[in-house]
């Protein structure tokens, strides 16, 4: 049976800002990951954070030659909350109660994962991971999630700069695009909900948000006024963990492709790069992006699968979604020749044993510019020439 590829359709993706309760928790978890990796590049971390009114809880397991006391971990969490901008009744970086229950990693997990003798380092868990790229934006990301992130990032940047001091940290966006012949052509609807100071009306907030949406969308793409929704409930003064609880790893579709491509079974934040939930998803994006950048397809979906304690992937799947000019079999063969997909090989190639993860926790793990210190290394297109050499 063949699957028909839709050409004309409407598609929606959402994003949430760094102050959304779930994203706040992702930011705290990844800030702790970075703190351990800064001391010991081979730290093993699985850090989970929960937040609610006047409370943050940190749990999970760690193995590291670095030493962070529970008080130091609490200080990292508090500094993250301050950086995001929470100093409100019911949730302030100054007074929030922070509880830390991190403990040592299970020795049974270490036995299965660590390299020993002739055995290479194995995957930290079983699972499937996906990567995706397409030509809808210069960043080779699906357009709906790209613009959803960009709207919130622009608002947050000006909030931090003091330009939008009337807005709070908690915000969400949703972008619905119309596609014609498989290409996005305009926005069908835009939704932005943002926390704001008491005293601002719904129309006040709408006019604050409007120029940011116009700036982010391509010229002529703005939706009809009737489909431009800002704070559609009318009021959003109570926000953050006071309005709703937060939990690490609960915004996995926001973190990846906004639903335009599949997501594997695991979240990213709080995990060190030996966890293939994270590192293999990064390398899958890297491979997909380089295949598209090399001109072999307009869209590329990669799936990798792993077994705990086993060094190399159980399977490598390539699908160019009827946009490729090279067979998927040929692409899959080339992938295995240009990059080592073992956990160690991924970390080495992308240089992942660095404190580069706190910056990934909000506004998407993909579609970001590579940083000089190695952050977002999976967004580079430096595999193009190696692919061309193998494929022609």
């Amino acid at each position: 049976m063949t699957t028909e590829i839709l050409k004309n359709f409407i598609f929606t993706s959402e994003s949430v800002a760094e102050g959304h309760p779930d994203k706040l928790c992702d930011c705290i978890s990844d800030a702790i990951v970075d703190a351990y990796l800064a001391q010991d590049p081979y730290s093993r971390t699985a850090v989970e954070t929960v937040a609610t009114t006047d409370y943050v809880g940190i749990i999970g397991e760690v193995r590291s030659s670095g030493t962070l006391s529970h008080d130091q971990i609490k200080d990292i969490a508090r500094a993250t909350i301050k950086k995001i901008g929470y100093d409100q009744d019911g949730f302030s970086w100054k007074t929030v109660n922070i509880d830390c229950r991190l403990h040592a990693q299970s020795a049974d997990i270490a036995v299965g994962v660590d390299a020993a003798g002739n055995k290479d380092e194995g995957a930290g868990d079983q699972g499937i991971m996906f990567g995706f790229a397409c030509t809808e934006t210069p960043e080779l990301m699906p357009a709906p999630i790209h613009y959803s992130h960009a709207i919130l990032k622009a608002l947050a940047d000006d909030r931090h700069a003091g330009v939008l001091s009337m807005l709070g940290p908690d915000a969400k966006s949703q972008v619905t695009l119309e596609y014609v012949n498989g290409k996005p052509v305009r926005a069908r609807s835009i939704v932005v909900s943002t926390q704001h100071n008491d005293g601002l009306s719904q129309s006040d907030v709408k006019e604050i948000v409007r120029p940011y949406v116009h700036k982010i969308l391509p010229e002529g793409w703005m939706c009809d006024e009737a489909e431009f929704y800002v704070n559609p409930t009318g009021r959003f003064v109570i926000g953050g963990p006071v309005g709703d609880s937060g939990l690490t790893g609960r915004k996995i579709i926001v973190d990846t492709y906004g639903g335009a491509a599949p997501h594997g079974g695991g979240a990213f934040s709080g995990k060190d790069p030996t966890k293939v939930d994270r590192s293999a998803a990064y390398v899958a994006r890297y491979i997909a992006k380089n295949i598209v950048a090399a001109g072999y397809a307009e869209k590329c979906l990669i799936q990798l699968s792993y077994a705990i304690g086993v060094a190399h992937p159980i399977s490598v799947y390539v699908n160019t979604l009827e946009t490729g000019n090279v067979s998927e079999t040929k692409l899959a063969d080339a992938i295995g020749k240009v990059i080592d997909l073992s956990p160690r090989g991924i970390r080495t190639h992308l240089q992942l044993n660095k404190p580069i993860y706190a910056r990934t926790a909000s506004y998407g793990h993909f579609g970001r510019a590579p940083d000089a210190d190695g952050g977002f290394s999976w967004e580079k297109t430096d595999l193009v020439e190696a692919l061309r050499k193998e494929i022609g």
Side-chain angles (χ1 to χ4, degrees):
M1 184 179 72
T2 60
T3 301
E4 182 182 358
I5 303 298
L6 289 175
K7 298 296 184 182
N8 301 318
F9 57 94
I10 296 169
F11 193 82
T12 303
S13 295
E14 70 159 346
S15 180
V16 297
E18 65 214 51
H20 183 281
D22 294 329
K23 274 288 137 213
L24 168 81
C25 292
D26 287 342
C27 290
I28 291 171
S29 292
D30 274 340
I32 294 168
V33 172
D34 280 356
Y36 274 107
L37 290 174
Q39 291 193 13
D40 174 11
Y42 301 102
S43 296
R44 304 287 176 85
T45 63
V47 182
E48 311 288 347
T49 303
V50 63
T52 188
T53 304
D54 278 331
Y55 178 83
V56 168
I58 301 166
I59 64 171
E61 65 268 4
V62 175
R63 180 160 61 103
S64 176
S65 64
T67 55
L68 289 173
S69 68
H70 281 193
D71 284 343
Q72 288 173 308
I73 291 168
K74 292 178 185 179
D75 287 343
I76 292 166
R78 200 173 299 279
T80 302
I81 297 165
K82 181 181 181 181
K83 182 179 179 181
I84 289 171
Y86 274 113
D87 187 13
Q88 63 187 39
D89 290 342
F91 200 81
S92 170
W93 67 272
K94 298 173 185 175
T95 58
V96 62
N97 176 33
I98 302 175
D99 183 27
C100 181
R101 301 295 179 94
L102 286 178
H103 58 81
Q105 183 191 58
S106 163
D108 289 348
I109 294 176
V111 167
V113 173
D114 289 350
N118 294 325
K119 174 184 172 294
D120 195 6
E121 175 187 306
D125 201 353
Q126 71 174 49
I128 56 173
M129 298 84 205
F130 290 95
F132 183 71
C134 64
T135 57
E136 292 179 15
T137 62
E139 295 79 9
L140 304 185
M141 284 288 288
I145 189 67
H146 173 75
Y147 296 126
S148 294
H149 286 322
I151 289 167
L152 292 183
K153 183 67 163 59
L155 289 168
D157 286 346
D158 274 3
R159 178 177 62 83
H160 286 301
V163 177
L164 296 179
S165 58
M166 74 292 289
L167 299 186
D170 196 356
K172 301 179 75 172
S173 65
Q174 187 169 283
V175 173
T176 300
L177 297 185
E178 180 180 344
Y179 285 70
V180 175
N181 292 324
K183 305 292 184 183
V185 297
R186 66 184 292 269
R188 180 63 68 91
S189 68
I190 302 290
V191 183
V192 179
S193 295
T194 179
Q195 188 182 10
H196 59 86
N197 290 348
D198 202 1
L200 288 178
S201 69
Q202 183 183 20
S203 59
D204 290 336
V205 179
K206 188 172 189 177
E207 294 313 308
I208 291 168
V209 169
R210 185 187 301 276
Y212 291 88
V213 176
H214 277 282
K215 179 182 176 181
I216 294 302
L217 292 178
E219 187 175 356
W221 277 37
M222 186 62 184
C223 63
D224 296 339
E225 184 64 19
E227 296 295 325
F228 179 37
Y229 305 97
V230 176
N231 285 5
T233 64
R235 177 180 168 88
F236 189 1
V237 173
I238 299 172
V242 179
D244 194 9
S245 62
L247 186 66
T248 298
R250 204 156 55 179
K251 287 292 179 284
I252 59 176
I253 302 303
V254 169
D255 286 342
T256 54
Y257 308 103
H263 193 290
F268 302 155
S269 292
K271 298 174 182 177
D272 72 87
T274 66
K275 311 293 192 298
V276 285
D277 278 342
R278 183 167 218 160
S279 57
Y282 288 175
V283 82
R285 160 65 178 174
Y286 175 66
I287 294 165
K289 185 174 183 179
N290 276 269
I291 286 172
V292 172
Y296 293 123
E298 293 184 8
K299 296 182 180 181
C300 184
L301 176 67
I302 302 291
Q303 185 204 59
L304 305 175
S305 68
Y306 290 83
I308 188 168
V310 178
H312 291 279
I314 303 301
S315 68
V316 178
Y317 168 81
V318 182
N319 188 342
T320 56
L321 303 161
E322 298 185 5
T323 69
N325 52 45
V326 173
S327 75
E328 280 104 347
T329 300
K330 194 168 186 179
L331 289 170
D333 288 343
I335 290 167
K337 295 175 182 176
V338 299
I339 187 168
D340 177 359
L341 292 175
S342 68
R344 185 198 302 274
I346 295 169
R347 292 203 324 278
T348 300
H349 189 99
L350 295 179
Q351 298 183 320
L352 297 180
N353 288 101
K354 296 179 178 181
I356 55 173
Y357 298 103
R359 71 194 75 171
T360 70
S362 51
Y363 311 112
H365 292 246
F366 307 127
R368 312 281 288 275
D371 293 325
D373 66 352
F376 300 104
S377 60
W378 49 93
E379 291 297 316
K380 294 181 179 179
T381 53
D382 55 0
L383 204 64
V384 166
E385 291 308 315
L387 286 168
R388 287 174 176 164
K389 184 177 179 180
E390 289 297 330
I391 298 169

